[in-house]
Amino acid sequence: KPQLKKLARTISDAGFYRFLHRFDLQHLLPHWHLLFKKKRLTAAPSATLGRLLVQLGPGFVLAGQVAGLRSDLIGEECQEILRELDYSPEPLSSGDLQKFLRRELGCSSEKIFSHFEAEPIRHHLLGFTYRAILANGKRALVTINLPEAVRSLEHNLGQLRWLLDWILPRLDKNHAQIWKSVWEEIARQ
């Protein structure tokens, strides 16, 4: 529950108090917050929503990306922002990358790779993809999911599940079914 209170405070601070109020979630806010912090949106709601989802973490970014594909759920202005949401964990230093590879591979990376580029070529919600050359000379792409990013995603998905369970009974049948299908897509990914 403390994490849900923090989540509600973050949502309210970003200017989305009306969302909390609409779904009867304002009880998660401290009393003083209800009195003094009913902040109004100062930027475009879609841009503010995008920043909020990135701030909340990878699970919320994933949910935004999935919801952004649904024209029956999200307006055109928000769709573009949500589809382009980008979340990237903190990159590993060269030393941390070598330690990570040694721990995961169970041996020195030099035994498996003749070359391993320290700069990632791509990032994703949970980590990075690197170019490498195997000891036998074949080229490879190595994707690393960072344990902290995985834990953050799992934590966010728990928060999203709680929010969904709270909100679904408050929606009409059609919207409830749409949000259930969004959750199913998130769970598949």
Side-chain angles (χ1 to χ4, degrees), residues 131-149:
R131 284 190 180 113
I133 299 176
L134 298 170
N136 66 7
K138 291 186 179 181
R139 295 174 188 258
L141 294 177
V142 179
T143 298
I144 294 177
N145 289 333
L146 302 173
E148 182 57 39

Side-chain angles (χ1 to χ4, degrees), residues 2-3 6 9 14 21 39 47 52 62 72 81 84 98 111 127 131 145 148 154 163 165 174 180 182:
Q3 291 116 357
K6 181 179 178 187
R9 199 167 28 244
H21 184 43
K39 179 179 172 183
L52 172 63
L62 178 59
D72 57 342
I81 297 281
E84 295 176 4
Q98 289 303 318
K111 290 185 177 183
R131 284 190 180 113
N145 289 333
E148 182 57 39
E154 289 170 351
L163 283 171
D165 289 344
N174 186 37
K180 281 181 189 176
V182 168

Side-chain angles (χ1 to χ4, degrees), residues 2-187:
Q3 291 116 357
L4 294 172
K5 288 181 177 186
K6 181 179 178 187
L7 175 67
R9 199 167 28 244
T10 303
I11 291 169
S12 179
D13 286 346
F16 290 95
Y17 173 80
R18 292 174 105 189
F19 168 83
L20 297 173
H21 184 43
R22 181 179 190 283
F23 294 108
D24 197 28
L25 290 164
Q26 71 274 15
H27 69 278
L28 294 171
L29 294 171
H31 180 68
W32 63 266
H33 205 276
L34 291 171
L35 295 174
F36 302 110
K37 291 280 190 168
K38 291 182 184 176
K39 179 179 172 183
R40 300 237 184 259
L41 288 172
T42 55
S46 57
T48 305
L49 177 60
R51 284 192 300 277
L52 172 63
L53 295 176
V54 170
Q55 180 184 356
L56 292 174
F60 288 90
V61 169
L62 178 59
Q65 290 168 338
V66 171
L69 297 172
R70 302 291 304 256
S71 61
D72 57 342
L73 187 62
I74 304 293
E76 194 174 307
E77 177 190 348
C78 283
Q79 278 186 306
E80 187 175 332
I81 297 281
L82 294 178
R83 283 192 307 258
E84 295 176 4
L85 280 178
D86 190 23
Y87 180 88
S88 177
E90 193 66 33
L92 293 172
S93 69
S94 182
D96 288 342
L97 177 60
Q98 289 303 318
K99 288 178 193 173
F100 183 86
L101 289 171
R102 177 181 289 280
R103 185 177 65 245
E104 293 298 312
L105 299 172
C107 64
S108 171
S109 62
E110 288 84 23
K111 290 185 177 183
I112 296 175
F113 304 105
S114 63
H115 177 74
F116 195 97
E117 289 184 18
E119 279 296 312
I121 59 167
R122 191 171 66 118
H123 71 272
H124 52 90
L125 283 174
L126 301 178
F128 302 93
T129 300
Y130 299 86
R131 284 190 180 113
I133 299 176
L134 298 170
N136 66 7
K138 291 186 179 181
R139 295 174 188 258
L141 294 177
V142 179
T143 298
I144 294 177
N145 289 333
L146 302 173
E148 182 57 39
V150 172
R151 282 190 294 276
S152 181
L153 177 65
E154 289 170 351
H155 175 73
N156 284 168
L157 292 178
Q159 292 174 317
L160 283 165
R161 185 72 237 184
W162 186 91
L163 283 171
L164 188 64
D165 289 344
W166 181 271
I167 291 171
L168 281 180
R170 291 159 175 78
L171 294 174
D172 63 73
K173 188 177 180 179
N174 186 37
H175 280 97
Q177 187 58 42
I178 291 170
W179 279 107
K180 281 181 189 176
S181 70
V182 168
W183 174 257
E184 289 167 2
E185 179 62 27
I186 292 166

